[in-house]
Amino acid sequence: DQQVKQNSPSLSVQEGRISILNCDYTNSMFDYFLWYKKYPAEGPTFLISISSIKDKNEDGRFTVFLNKSAKHLSLHIVPSQPGDSAVYFCAASENRDDKIIFGKGTRLHILP
Amino acid sequence: NAGVMQNPRHLVRRRGQEARLRCSPMKGHSHVYWYRQLPEEGLKFMVYLQKENIIDESGMPKERFSAEFPKEGPSILRIQQVVRGDSAAYFCASSPSPSWWSEQFFGPGTRLTVL
């Protein structure tokens, strides 16, 4: 039973436009949500996080939005750049010290 | 400061053989975490170790899998009598303190192929 779901296996976005990656979760005990970025042949790298007490967190071109009532979060990248082409994993944990549960990932292609 | 190192990067084994995957954490990091990524899946937590101690192995399969992190040397994930279903990418991460995500740095992974 998947607790963190990324229903879009892939997404293509024109360079300069906004990329929106979506994630849904089922466990209402999740309190921390994270996004990781992964290039081929590399390990994931932590991108941005949000705790359940917030509904938005912004870091440069990256913004994560959390809708707790809908159990939904999204990652917005604007403007999208060629180097953003990667697999993005949504992840969640019940608290800062608990294990991370990952989604299956969404492959983002930034088109020239 | 070198990042998390894993070797080998690619490992091919025949069914029934043993696989040993190594992880050298970042300098100053004494906490190691192993994850497995099956094809078309997300990463799944396997085990969390500190030096000479297994802290949480709730994600480890009950049989054939073991992990250690000795006082000296890398952390080892050992898979005995491999089967085709063990084919996956195995990632290790390290952190300087008990931290599940905020300070975890991942290695490049070992891709295990079982023939």
Side-chain angles (χ1 to χ4, degrees), chain A residues 17-77:
Chain A
R17 307 292 275 269
I18 183 170
S19 295
I20 301 176
L21 296 101
N22 293 303
C23 178
D24 298 293
Y25 62 95
T26 57
N27 185 349
S28 56
M29 299 297 291
F30 284 147
D31 252 359
Y32 286 90
F33 304 88
L34 309 96
W35 285 94
Y36 285 82
K37 178 179 180 178
K38 184 184 178 303
Y39 292 120
E42 294 185 13
T45 53
F46 170 71
L47 198 55
I48 192 169
S49 67
I50 189 167
S51 74
S52 60
I53 60 173
K54 294 186 175 181
D55 55 16
K56 177 183 174 181
N57 188 25
E58 193 172 349
D59 183 3
R61 296 185 300 114
F62 302 91
T63 304
V64 56
F65 294 92
L66 175 63
N67 182 335
K68 279 203 79 176
S69 60
K71 292 195 180 70
H72 177 84
L73 64 154
S74 60
L75 175 68
H76 293 213
I77 307 172

Side-chain angles (χ1 to χ4, degrees), chain B residues 16-27:
Chain B
Q17 291 184 320
E18 179 180 286
R20 280 185 180 238
L21 288 66
R22 293 174 190 77
C23 169
S24 296
M26 286 180 70
K27 189 175 180 180

